[in-house]
């Protein structure tokens, strides 16, 4: 999609989300569209109506930082949303990216997470496909296994609605996070992933159309584990500086809480099962990438590191929610 169109789509979507009362304007008479009128945004931003119309229609692609700041104030954008707006306006004309090399997790990171025997941990690639996961992550959910695209699983796997007690909130955060990290990139694999989810999931299509942007990297997620019961877990997403695009995600429970005890029980059960092989190695997902979200597929093993670029088109942690503050026990 052209950069100009993206900018216009974003401005329209955000304009429709702001009520006149939110910015101190009278509601007035009948309104043909929800939210603010174009002339109201222009007035609040301190620019002409004609110029704002050109921006929404994509006829002007290079607004100044001053104009963007005025529009951001008028539309009540958050810091993440204003950063996204600036990226859309500053991006050069869209160009196709060359095929990316398969992503690989370093041996040091694999050893690190495998040694966390009571802390679920996994590594996401550019498209939210799991590149590595420890035994506790897979015990927490088979959809966290290497090779599985957690965003695709979150929207298309019915079991995930039962697993996430906060499924509605989690999916909203996941899509807003995805938009925050992709910026104005024009990636064919990403476009195919988003297009596929939009076709197959009404929920994803609605959330993507809202144009929400939020780079939330920590918080609490509410889970329902089939063996140990309800878990209220803190998550943290940590960028790996040595591997651009990769995120280390961990989960932990508040010490002394019922969730903490249940997580320790899960760790005990995982150890008892004696899965001596390191689960951070990629799973064999079947004969085609589109099979990479099922729990049965995730339990098999594969000898090569999964290519995030290959898995993404058919598969974005989590998009399931992901990661936790540095846990007290590992």
């Amino acid at each position: 999609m052209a950069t100009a169109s993206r900018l216009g789509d974003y401005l329209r979507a955000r304009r429709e989300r702001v009520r006149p009362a939110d910015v101190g304007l009278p509601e007035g008479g009948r309104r043909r569209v929800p939210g603010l009128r174009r002339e109201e945004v222009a007035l609040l931003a301190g620019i002409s109506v004609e110029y704002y119309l050109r921006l929404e229609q994509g006829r002007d692609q290079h607004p100044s930082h001053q104009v963007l700041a005025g529009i951001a104030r008028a539309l009540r954008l958050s810091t993440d949303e204003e950063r996204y707006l600036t990226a859309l306006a500053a991006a050069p004309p869209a160009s196709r990216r060359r095929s990316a090399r398969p992503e690989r997790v370093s041996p040091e990171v694999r050893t690190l997470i495998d040694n966390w025997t009571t802390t679920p941990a996994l590594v996401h690639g550019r498209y939210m496909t799991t590149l590595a996961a420890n035994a506790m992550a897979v015990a927490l959910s088979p959809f966290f296994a290497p090779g599985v695209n957690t965003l695709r699983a979150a929207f298309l796997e019915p079991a995930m609605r039962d697993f996430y007690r906060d499924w509605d909130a989690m999916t909203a955060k996941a899509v807003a996070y995805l938009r925050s990290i992709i910026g104005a990139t024009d990636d064919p694999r990403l476009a195919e992933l988003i297009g596929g989810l939009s076709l197959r999931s009404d929920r994803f299509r609605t959330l993507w159309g809202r144009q929400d942007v939020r780079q939330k990297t920590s918080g609490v997620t509410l889970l329902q584990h089939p063996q140990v019961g309800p878990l209220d877990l803190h998550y943290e997403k940590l960028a790996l500086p040595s591997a651009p695009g990769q995120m280390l995600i961990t989960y932990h429970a508040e010490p002394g809480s019922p969730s903490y005890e249940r997580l320790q029980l899960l760790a005990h059960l995982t150890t008892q099962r004696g899965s001596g092989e390191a689960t951070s190695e990629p799973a064999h997902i079947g004969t085609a990438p589109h099979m990479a979200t099922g729990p049965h597929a995730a339990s098999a093993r594969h000898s090569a590191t999964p290519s995030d670029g290959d898995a993404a088109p058919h598969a974005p942690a989590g998009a399931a929610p992901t990661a936790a503050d540095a846990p007290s026990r590992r």
Side-chain angles (χ1 to χ4, degrees):
M1 183 182 297
T3 299
S5 178
R6 284 178 177 172
L7 176 61
D9 289 345
Y10 186 64
L11 290 174
R12 281 190 295 274
R14 301 314 302 179
R15 176 168 60 84
E16 293 174 359
R17 299 282 297 279
V18 182
R19 299 178 303 169
D22 295 335
V23 291
L25 294 176
E27 292 287 348
R30 294 179 57 187
R31 288 176 173 264
R32 292 179 298 174
V33 295
L36 297 178
R37 299 184 177 102
R38 291 189 182 94
E39 55 267 28
E40 291 170 334
V41 176
L43 174 65
L44 293 168
I47 59 178
S48 70
V49 177
E50 291 76 12
Y51 184 62
Y52 180 77
L53 179 61
R54 290 204 304 271
L55 291 176
E56 276 205 4
Q57 293 178 340
R59 292 188 287 121
D60 191 304
Q61 302 181 39
H62 305 289
S64 68
H65 289 293
Q66 183 179 3
V67 168
L68 291 173
I71 293 174
R73 287 194 304 271
L75 298 178
R76 301 169 63 87
L77 300 184
S78 68
T79 300
D80 288 338
E81 290 164 345
E82 184 173 357
R83 186 182 301 117
Y84 181 73
L85 173 67
T86 302
L88 291 178
S95 59
R96 292 291 181 180
R97 287 180 53 181
R98 290 177 294 180
S99 298
R101 297 174 59 185
E103 293 186 282
R104 299 185 184 279
V105 177
S106 71
E108 293 79 10
V109 171
R110 289 183 183 276
T111 300
L112 175 69
I113 64 175
D114 282 340
N115 284 332
W116 292 347
T117 57
T118 62
T119 300
L122 60 151
V123 178
H124 270 174
R126 289 183 297 269
Y127 307 99
M128 294 184 179
T129 295
T130 301
L131 303 177
N134 65 9
M136 274 294 285
V138 179
L140 187 60
S141 171
F143 293 105
F144 291 165
V148 177
N149 184 281
T150 53
L151 185 65
R152 186 175 187 272
F155 284 96
L156 302 184
E157 295 290 348
M160 295 298 262
R161 288 177 177 262
D162 297 325
F163 178 62
Y164 285 102
R165 290 149 49 211
D166 59 347
W167 187 81
D168 285 340
M170 180 276 294
T171 51
K173 288 186 290 187
V175 173
Y177 174 76
L178 171 65
R179 191 176 285 279
S180 77
I181 61 175
I182 65 172
T185 59
D186 186 32
D187 188 325
R189 291 190 176 98
L190 184 61
E192 186 175 352
L193 171 62
I194 293 171
L197 283 170
S198 297
L199 288 173
R200 300 181 62 186
S201 169
D202 291 340
R203 173 68 174 165
F204 180 87
R205 184 167 59 251
T206 298
L207 292 173
W208 190 252
R210 284 169 51 175
Q211 300 265 357
D212 289 337
V213 180
R214 190 181 184 192
Q215 196 165 15
K216 185 173 177 59
T217 57
S218 63
V220 176
T221 188
L222 309 179
L223 309 177
Q224 181 67 37
H225 193 274
Q227 286 181 291
V228 301
L231 293 166
D232 298 358
L233 300 182
H234 297 264
Y235 66 87
E236 188 80 29
K237 302 178 184 179
L238 308 169
L240 297 177
S242 61
Q246 293 186 19
M247 300 289 289
L248 170 62
I249 299 160
T250 64
Y251 294 86
H252 81 277
E254 195 70 31
S257 67
S259 292
Y260 180 84
E261 299 303 324
R262 294 182 184 117
L263 197 60
Q264 299 307 303
L265 173 59
L266 182 61
H268 176 70
L269 294 173
T270 303
T271 301
Q272 268 195 334
R273 279 194 289 269
S275 51
E277 297 181 78
T279 55
S280 66
E281 289 298 324
H284 176 64
I285 311 297
T287 58
H290 70 272
M291 299 174 65
T293 59
H296 300 297
S299 64
R301 297 290 307 277
H302 194 284
S303 60
T305 302
S307 166
D308 197 36
D310 291 339
H314 305 278
T322 48
D325 290 333
S328 57
R329 287 189 56 187
R330 289 178 175 168

